[in-house]
Amino acid sequence: MKTLFGTSSLQDINTLIPYAQLVGLDISSDEHGLLTILRAHDDNIGNEIIGAVHGGVVAGLMEHAASFHLLDELANPVRIPRIINVSIDYLRPALNKDTFARGQVVKQGKRVANVRVTAWQDDENRPVAAAHAHFLIA
Amino acid sequence: MSLSVFKFMRHTVENLPHCKKLGLKFTQLDEGVGAMQLDPKPEFIGNTAQNFMHSAIVTTLLDTLCGTVASSAYSEGRTVATLDLRLDHLDRLHGDRTLYAKAECFHHNDDVAYVRGWAWQDSEDKMVAKATGTFMASGTFKLQKEDM
């Protein structure tokens, strides 16, 4: 990151991404590490009956979180990770409030990384979605 | 299923807040098949240096289309909940080109609908993404009198 993006922080990079601003994606951190946050936003609703966030926006959170958590863990990234595929399990409806996501790099090979992401709202032990994705990293 | 049900589904989905915000439009919806398109917007960009759209844009397009096609596969029209969605991101998404997508429900029973979808920009044989989604069928699609 340090070499690829100069002195920019992941937060700085995120604010320059138009899609992140469109849906309200923030990069933050807590005592356990990096946290990606999808802010509550009326324009993100995809189910008006229960007032749930659109599944595509939840998927966007998962993809965005996976790539940022990967960037955070890569010691010396040579390119912006490029997503190969992603598989998302929808576990509970994501209601119109802040949604948090945390990633874990399961395996980092020479060219490919496997990343898992979990997203939750009120309780980290009650996830709203879980995903795993592959990225090309070199 | 009557034509008005498909018309109602199209109208309902296109007017969901997030679909409206992006500008998602149906070009076709019939029993178990459908097509959509999405015109480019500067806000869709995920890579400003190379002007590529964020992968989440095509994911949202295919999630919306596959879910609606799952609903339309039931003769009575059912609401569905996404169980899972798998996306293969095959190519970069050019930031200045329209995205097109098609989907078909390849199997459904009383409980579950299985849908595949694909998206492209220049020509259908040059796919940018492929999706497979599994959907749980729940209630019937609520058709209001004025939409009949």
Side-chain angles (χ1 to χ4, degrees):
Chain A
M1 217 167 344
K2 299 85 200 169
T3 49
L4 186 61
F5 301 113
T7 55
S8 300
S9 68
L10 290 176
Q11 283 87 348
D12 294 340
I13 296 159
N14 181 64
T15 57
L16 297 173
I17 298 176
Y19 180 78
Q21 302 315 305
L22 174 73
V23 296
L25 286 163
D26 284 346
I27 300 296
S28 183
S29 63
D30 66 4
E31 67 274 21
H32 303 294
L34 200 77
L35 209 53
T36 304
I37 307 170
L38 173 67
R39 297 296 180 192
H41 208 313
D42 290 345
D43 284 337
N44 287 345
I45 296 296
N47 178 331
E48 287 180 301
I49 300 165
I50 56 168
V53 178
H54 194 294
V57 182
V58 174
L61 166 67
M62 305 311 263
E63 293 184 6
H64 202 70
S67 61
F68 271 80
H69 288 253
L70 183 56
L71 275 176
D72 189 43
E73 286 197 31
L74 288 176
N76 191 14
V78 292
R79 56 177 286 174
I80 297 170
R82 177 175 165 184
I83 192 162
I84 298 171
N85 58 30
V86 60
S87 185
I88 302 144
D89 293 331
Y90 293 91
L91 305 171
R92 291 181 180 84
L95 302 175
N96 192 17
K97 45 188 164 184
D98 290 357
T99 311
F100 305 88
R102 204 189 296 285
Q104 180 202 353
V105 178
V106 177
K107 160 90 197 287
Q108 184 191 328
K110 281 195 183 70
R111 299 168 64 203
V112 172
N114 178 303
V115 187
R116 270 168 210 274
V117 179
T118 308
W120 70 95
Q121 293 193 312
D122 300 316
D123 181 354
E124 194 165 351
N125 296 312
R126 291 178 59 81
V128 294
H132 59 95
H134 288 103
F135 287 87
L136 210 54
I137 53 173
Chain B
M1 205 190 308
S2 66
L3 279 176
S4 62
V5 179
F6 298 128
K7 207 175 142 192
F8 174 70
M9 281 184 185
R10 285 169 75 142
H11 179 80
T12 304
V13 173
E14 283 177 354
N15 284 289
L16 292 171
H18 193 62
C19 297
K20 212 168 162 177
K21 176 91 179 172
L22 298 188
L24 287 163
K25 294 277 175 227
F26 283 97
T27 50
Q28 186 208 354
L29 186 66
D30 290 302
E31 194 164 325
V33 289
M36 286 190 112
Q37 74 174 60
L38 180 62
D39 289 330
K41 285 195 168 111
E43 305 93 283
F44 296 169
I45 300 301
N47 178 333
T48 46
Q50 294 170 292
N51 203 42
F52 294 133
M53 288 183 195
H54 197 287
S55 56
I57 291 294
V58 75
T59 304
T60 302
L61 167 68
L62 285 166
D63 177 52
T64 307
L65 179 59
C66 290
T68 314
V69 162
S71 284
S72 80
Y74 292 91
S75 56
E76 73 278 26
R78 304 267 294 271
T79 56
V80 297
T82 315
L83 271 188
D84 69 22
L85 188 73
R86 143 90 185 215
L87 254 292
D88 289 319
H89 291 288
L90 307 177
D91 209 346
R92 302 291 210 177
L93 309 171
H94 293 282
D96 54 356
R97 298 181 201 167
T98 298
L99 271 168
Y100 302 90
K102 281 185 184 170
E104 59 188 13
C105 178
F106 57 92
H107 184 76
H108 72 285
N109 55 36
D110 275 352
D111 303 302
V112 188
Y114 304 82
V115 182
R116 61 174 150 247
W118 57 98
W120 69 94
Q121 289 190 307
D122 297 323
S123 69
E124 195 173 345
D125 59 358
K126 283 193 273 177
M127 285 188 284
V128 291
K130 249 189 122 164
T132 311
T134 317
F135 301 86
M136 283 301 292
S138 49
T140 52
F141 215 89
K142 211 168 159 191
L143 192 62
Q144 279 143 22
K145 276 219 161 61
E146 61 267 30
D147 298 300
M148 295 291 271

